[in-house]
Amino acid sequence: MIEPRAPKWRRRLSLLLAAVALPAVGVGVLTASPAAAAPTDIRLNEVVTTGSVNDSIELYNKGTATIDLSGWILKDDNDSNKYKIASGTSLAPGGFKAFDVHGSFGLGSADSARLYLADGTTLVDSFSWSSHSNPSWSRCADGTGDWTQAATLTLGAANNCGSGGGGSTTPVAWPGGSTVATADAANVFGTDLSGLYQEGGVMWGAQNSGKLWRLVPNGSGGWTPDTANGWGSGKALRFPGGTGTPDDEGVTLTGAGSAGGVYVSSERNADASSTSRLSVLRYDVSGTGSTLTATREWNLTPDLPATGANLGLEGITWVPDSYLTGAGFKDAATGAAYDPSRYAAHTGGVFFVGVEGSGTVYGYVLLEAGGFTKVATLSSGMAGVMELQWEPQANRLWVVCDDTCSGQHRTFQVNTAGSFAVTAVHNRPAGMPNINNEGFTLAGADECVGGSKPVYWSDDSNTGGHALRKGSINC
């Protein structure tokens, strides 16, 4: 029999509550057809609201062609306030151009900057905030990254994103819509639904009671259990050899997709619940049986600091070697640039796992033969880690906390020193209650419509009878 999980308050006695600040940021993006793609290369890149130079907005051309900005319009949050860019103004590829708009309108402590085509109605990009620049609201990296409070004003030049390329740890608003809706029927999953991973038209869900779900679209924007091949009630998970019940918390796939196996992170064997067993397990999900026995276990317990049996591995995600080598990732095991050829067969990437009790994230090369090497250790800066997700569209690592940290989300990228560093700290969407979200996943680039794509959360507590919720994020 599986021992019931301890209540959340008892599981978290060792955790500190994270403080939350309130600045707000939002970005809107024009989605253009291929024939009209050039305007989307012009991005708001820096905003200055106060100081020695105030009421200024910088644009950046992230594309490969010069773009004519004649007649384009800048606005604040009031549609009546307009600054028209002079005729003959253009912006070369990689170029920066700042506009002093104070003669047309002022930028307040809680305001917006919006860029429109010359027709005055087609929105190209926007940015909103709820505190003055200090001294600069800047995008890191230029034109493509998250907005942050940069330490230096750099109008007309590349943004100063800090040593090593890290961003601010000042929380800002969710970078997408504020609306959140339920995405499942009532009381389908019950409590303990944790990790999520969307694979196109399938969503994988890990439930702490040793169960894996295969979900399919329900026809109304949400998800429902797949009724084919024995998945209707989820499938029970077992350790290699068919014994024990993994307390599985996270789920991920490699570049091979589910055909290459589904990987889960587990913090203990629920049949011996007082003992940590910090493992990554791989499952073949191609069969029709009701039980899945792991084809491989990587037991990381001897290599990690001791933690409470119910405060172990929560999140897991896989980052491809191609990103790591291209970004200059430094291998902590060798002290040199990460070189995949140093390792035997290893799935073509690095698995990152998050520890609930310490808020630490570790990167591991997991060898097909069963060995492993730790190649990274990073602090999330939060009281606990509940979920990890790699977003290939934006090349960023999401590190997610639940109600322990008021639903905070942090993004990380490899910096100039070769280490993963925080690029932004986001508060939960305004429409999301402070609930026990232990799972988070993002739709792929193919679902980007109107500059936005879906994201989903799983609530371990099944609040209001619903375990899945849906929101949106800017593409």
Side-chain angles (χ1 to χ4, degrees):
M1 177 179 292
I2 299 172
E3 179 180 309
R5 287 162 59 95
K8 278 289 172 181
W9 65 267
R10 187 176 298 163
R11 296 172 62 197
R12 307 284 167 73
L13 285 178
S14 63
L15 303 181
L16 297 174
L17 292 176
V20 179
L22 296 177
V25 176
V27 181
V29 182
L30 167 73
T31 297
S33 65
T40 64
D41 287 334
I42 302 299
R43 315 302 291 158
L44 296 172
N45 198 56
E46 185 173 8
V47 174
V48 180
T49 66
T50 188
S52 58
V53 179
N54 61 2
D55 300 335
S56 293
I57 300 172
E58 178 191 81
L59 303 181
Y60 171 70
N61 185 349
K62 70 181 184 67
T64 59
T66 297
I67 296 178
D68 184 5
L69 303 179
S70 299
W72 288 34
I73 296 171
L74 291 164
K75 301 180 184 181
D76 61 2
D77 62 358
N78 187 335
D79 284 335
S80 300
N81 295 336
K82 302 177 182 179
Y83 175 95
K84 187 174 182 179
I85 297 177
S87 178
T89 303
S90 62
L91 193 54
F96 304 84
K97 191 176 292 291
F99 299 90
D100 183 345
V101 300
H102 82 274
S104 300
F105 54 83
L107 296 172
S109 61
D111 209 338
S112 300
R114 296 181 291 166
L115 174 65
Y116 289 83
L117 296 183
D119 61 13
T121 60
T122 304
L123 181 66
V124 178
D125 197 10
S126 69
F127 166 61
S128 300
W129 59 91
S130 63
S131 65
H132 274 303
S133 59
N134 187 29
S136 166
W137 281 111
S138 297
R139 231 173 187 160
C140 294
D142 289 302
T144 60
D146 294 304
W147 287 91
T148 185
Q149 285 271 24
T152 306
L153 186 151
T154 60
L155 291 170
N159 288 336
N160 181 352
C161 295
S163 59
S168 170
T169 55
T170 301
V172 295
W174 179 252
S178 60
T179 301
V180 173
T182 57
D184 60 348
N187 295 312
V188 173
F189 303 100
T191 59
D192 288 342
L193 187 63
S194 189
L196 297 176
Y197 188 94
Q198 186 177 346
E199 181 190 17
V202 172
M203 184 179 292
W204 299 95
Q207 195 155 15
N208 305 150
S209 53
K211 183 180 287 189
L212 182 68
W213 293 89
R214 187 181 193 274
L215 309 178
V216 294
N218 64 9
S220 58
W223 299 85
T224 189
D226 187 359
T227 58
N229 300 314
W231 287 102
S233 299
K235 297 196 177 187
L237 301 183
R238 296 290 182 264
F239 286 98
T243 61
T245 304
D247 186 348
D248 50 309
E249 301 279 356
V251 58
T252 195
L253 306 178
T254 69
S258 55
V262 172
Y263 294 76
V264 303
S265 56
S266 175
E267 57 189 4
R268 58 182 175 171
N269 178 356
D271 297 346
S273 60
S274 63
T275 303
S276 287
R277 184 168 172 174
L278 309 178
S279 296
V280 176
L281 299 147
R282 181 173 62 201
Y283 292 91
D284 179 352
V285 295
S286 63
T288 60
S290 61
T291 299
L292 301 174
T293 297
T295 59
R296 178 72 67 191
E297 177 183 11
W298 292 267
N299 189 337
L300 309 178
T301 311
D303 198 52
L304 292 172
T307 188
N310 205 19
L311 294 171
L313 297 190
E314 283 280 330
I316 183 171
T317 196
W318 177 87
V319 179
D321 285 342
S322 57
Y323 168 77
L324 297 172
T325 55
F329 175 63
K330 186 176 181 179
D331 186 338
T334 65
Y338 174 64
D339 180 1
S341 68
R342 294 178 183 270
Y343 301 98
H346 64 276
T347 74
V350 173
F351 287 87
F352 286 79
V353 293
V355 177
E356 177 181 357
S358 66
T360 307
V361 178
Y362 299 93
Y364 279 94
V365 175
L366 302 183
L367 302 182
E368 295 283 6
F372 54 81
T373 300
K374 184 164 59 185
V375 297
T377 301
L378 58 137
S379 171
S380 70
M382 297 185 290
V385 173
M386 307 303 159
E387 176 70 288
L388 299 174
Q389 281 290 337
W390 175 248
E391 185 187 6
Q393 184 180 5
N395 284 328
R396 57 186 173 185
L397 173 67
W398 288 85
V399 182
V400 181
C401 191
D402 61 0
D403 51 335
T404 303
C405 315
S406 295
Q408 193 175 96
H409 298 58
R410 296 190 172 208
T411 56
F412 290 74
Q413 291 177 313
V414 174
N415 63 13
T416 56
S419 301
F420 273 92
V422 65
T423 57
V425 179
H426 296 292
N427 292 324
R428 68 185 189 272
M432 175 71 78
N434 188 26
I435 55 179
N436 188 22
N437 286 326
E438 291 196 354
F440 173 70
T441 191
L442 308 96
D446 59 318
E447 292 192 47
C448 184
V449 178
S452 179
K453 66 180 182 179
V455 293
Y456 302 90
W457 293 265
S458 58
D459 171 18
D460 181 271
S461 297
N462 197 43
T463 303
H466 292 277
L468 288 176
R469 285 171 175 80
K470 177 181 181 180
S472 64
I473 193 169
N474 299 322
C475 299

